[in-house]
Amino acid sequence: MPSDTKLSIAVDKDVCIGAGQCALTAPGVFTQDDDGFSELLPGKEDGGGDPLVRDAARVCPVSAITITEE
């Protein structure tokens, strides 16, 4: 991923089942809320430069994570 590429990351709470694979794969970007569903850590809406953010989206069993290049 080129350093000048901006990402926008979103977690669809209606699709998420709380498997937690994203938080295990990229713990610097994702966490789980009090109900066990995935969410972005504050200020990480762009991935924070974490090289594992795409892997985290890929391992989501229900494809609840969307990454858009801007």
Side-chain angles (χ1 to χ4, degrees):
M1 168 174 53
S3 61
D4 60 345
T5 301
K6 283 200 58 134
L7 300 180
S8 177
I9 303 167
V11 177
D12 186 336
K13 299 271 189 172
D14 293 331
V15 175
C16 179
I17 60 171
Q21 294 302 305
C22 58
L24 290 172
T25 303
V29 177
F30 297 95
T31 189
Q32 289 181 287
D33 65 17
D34 292 338
D35 295 321
F37 296 106
S38 297
E39 66 181 4
L40 293 166
L41 289 169
K44 298 297 182 170
E45 294 80 10
D46 64 355
D50 191 320
L52 297 175
V53 72
R54 290 183 191 277
D55 290 337
R58 198 172 11 262
V59 299
C60 178
V62 293
S63 300
I65 301 168
T66 303
I67 299 176
T68 307
E69 290 185 22
E70 298 177 353

